[in-house]
Every structure is written in structure tokens, then in C-alpha cells.
Amino acid sequence: MMRVVVLISGRGSNLASLFAATDRDGFPARVVAVISNRPAAQGLAIAAARGVPTDVLDHRQFAERGQFDTALAGVIDGFMPDLIVLAGFMRILGEGFVRRYEGRLINIHPSLLPAFPGLHTHRRALLEGVRIHGCTVHFVTADLDHGPVIIQAAVPVLDSDDEDTLAARVLAQEHVVYPQAVRWFAEGRLHLCAGRIVLDVPQDGASALIAPQIARCPPC
Ligand code: NHR
Ligand code: GAR
């Protein structure tokens, strides 16, 4: 069984989707701890309700980013994880932290990277007028939101969309692709090798999902 530590900052819906996946028979990983940088993160209760250990490391208690990173690494290492999953984790991590966990630290970002790195991705997608948006699971590197891409899901942008409706459509796909990426990693099918993705899954299109609402045909 692969050991997964999940880092969160808020709601925890991606955490919940990961729990739903690991509950299934034969899922080769389990969440051994959930760590938040925000004491009020709702995701902490989701973990606690399942008896999964939680910890809070409030970044505001640290004078410098490097001190927070070092303390965070100490807590993480206590759980001896094989994989660290950023799930709505909102603190930028320094180069030392990222190097320490190279190849076993992944993130989900709410855009089709390399488009819209950073914050407020849905607002920016609407402002730019893109017709396709989505989410990306990637290995974390020191280059913020630019690590090697593992899996993406695309959704249409509708004329009627606002930030909330677009975010919800993307989020539904996040809940599909993130557990898939964790499963591949836990099955030993996914590696980072010399900075590149090695993914041992049949190339039948399964590594790039298109949202079902694109494929659905209106009754005619
Ligand atoms: N760290 C590194 N080194 N590389 C990445 O790719 C990272 C990372 C840490 C977090 C998630 C990322 C996202 O998916 C992530 C990827 C936070 C910010 C940010 O600006 C940007 C990107 C991401 C997460 N955070 C502010 C900061 O000063 C704080 C914002 C807040 O607290 O609301 O750290 O989008
Ligand atoms: C998700 O949409 C995730 O992709 C995004 O925050 C949301 C967290 O939701 N992540 C980032 O923006 C990282 N900077 P959740 O807490 O319900 O999983």
C-alpha cells in the first residue's frame, strides 16, 4: 500500500474525491495524513471524520518562507509518505522543499497549463475569452505551475458562464483526473525520469479526458 500525505488550504473537495477513490476495493494507496497551512480549512474535518491524522502548520507563525518549508517537511516526513499530494494547497513552496520531494510531489491546478499559471484562473480564462478550459495534474518543480504534465481534462466555456459556474465544471473534472493520477503513481505506472513523464498506460486517449458535455449530442 502506498502512503499518501495530502496538503490542503481550504474546502477539501479534491481530498474527498481521493478518499472516495481509495475506499474502492483494490485501490493501491491510502491517505495517511492531511496537513493544512490554514487552521480553518474545512478539509481538516473531512479527514478527522475518517480518523485520518491531521496537522496544522500555520504559515503566519513563521517569519520566513524557508522556516515554514522546513517545519512542513518535518511533519510530512513523520508520516513516511511515498507520495505528497497538493490539493488546493495555496502556499508557494521553495526550491529546497521541492527538490527534497522531487518525483513524489504532485499538484492539481485549475487551468490547462501552461495557460493561466498562478491564481484566479477561471476569472482570467473568462477575460481572455478562451473556449476551452480545464485542469492539470503535474509534478511540482521549483518553477511554479510549470512542472511536467501528468493528465489534463478539458471543459467547454459557455457564453452563460461566470467564475462560479466555470469553476464548478472544472472542479468536477478535477475529481476525475486527480484520483486517476494517484492510482497510476501507486501502481508504479507513473514516474518522473530526468524531468520527463514516464507513463505506462495504454495510449488509447485515456491520458487526456474531454468533458462529457462536449461529446454529448443534443436530441435531434
Ligand atoms: N510550489 C512550487 N514550488 N511549485 C509549484 O508548482 C507549486 C507550489 C506550491 C503550490 C499550487 C499552485 C496552484 O495550483 C502550488 C504549486 C499558490 C500560489 C500562490 O500565489 C500559486 C500557485 C499555487 C498555489 N500563493 C500565495 C503565496 O504567497 C498565497 C496565496 C494565498 O494564500 O491565498 O504563497 O495554483
Ligand atoms: C481546486 O479547484 C484546486 O484546483 C485549486 O483550488 C481548489 C481547491 O478546492 N487549487 C489551486 O488554486 C492551487 N493554487 P478543494 O479544496 O475543494 O479541493
Side-chain angles (χ1 to χ4, degrees):
M1 266 295 183
M2 218 168 245
R3 300 171 61 82
V4 177
V5 165
V6 181
L7 305 190
I8 62 167
S9 298
R11 180 176 53 187
S13 73
N14 275 291
L15 172 67
S17 80
L18 193 53
F19 277 133
T22 58
D23 279 351
R24 274 174 228 137
D25 264 0
F27 198 97
R30 67 195 158 102
V31 177
V32 296
V34 174
I35 305 169
S36 173
N37 68 305
R38 292 192 181 277
Q42 302 102 295
L44 289 168
I46 297 173
R50 307 177 64 105
V52 171
T54 61
D55 211 330
V56 174
L57 221 63
D58 188 343
H59 62 275
R60 293 167 300 188
Q61 308 292 317
F62 297 85
E64 287 174 28
R65 282 181 180 267
Q67 295 169 348
F68 171 74
D69 285 2
T70 302
L72 181 59
V75 175
I76 290 171
D77 290 349
F79 293 105
M80 297 180 298
D82 303 294
L83 176 68
I84 299 123
V85 168
L86 306 185
F89 184 70
M90 298 307 293
R91 295 303 294 175
I92 297 171
L93 299 161
E95 208 176 322
F97 183 98
V98 167
R99 216 179 307 111
R100 179 189 191 104
Y101 299 112
E102 196 184 349
R104 52 196 184 103
L105 174 59
I106 63 176
N107 177 48
I108 189 154
H109 182 77
S111 77
L112 290 173
L113 290 173
F116 312 123
L119 304 177
H120 312 300
T121 55
H122 308 305
R123 188 184 312 166
R124 289 156 60 203
L126 288 170
L127 281 170
E128 292 287 350
V130 298
R131 307 315 298 172
I132 302 174
H133 188 42
C135 58
T136 303
V137 179
H138 64 95
F139 280 104
V140 173
T141 63
D143 197 1
L144 183 71
D145 291 333
H146 280 83
V149 171
I150 299 165
I151 183 171
Q152 296 181 304
V155 302
V157 180
L158 305 182
D159 293 338
S160 56
D161 271 331
D162 59 27
E163 229 177 302
D164 291 342
T165 58
L166 183 55
R169 192 173 309 119
V170 171
L171 190 66
Q173 296 303 311
E174 295 185 40
H175 298 161
V176 174
V177 294
Y178 217 4
Q180 174 65 262
V182 171
R183 178 185 270 277
W184 283 336
F185 189 88
E187 289 174 345
R189 295 164 179 265
L190 167 65
H191 307 271
L192 190 62
C193 181
R196 306 284 294 246
I197 299 290
V198 179
L199 185 57
D200 178 23
V201 296
Q203 286 300 77
D204 59 355
S207 62
L209 305 183
I210 301 296
Q213 52 264 51
I214 292 179
R216 208 179 293 130
C217 185
C220 52

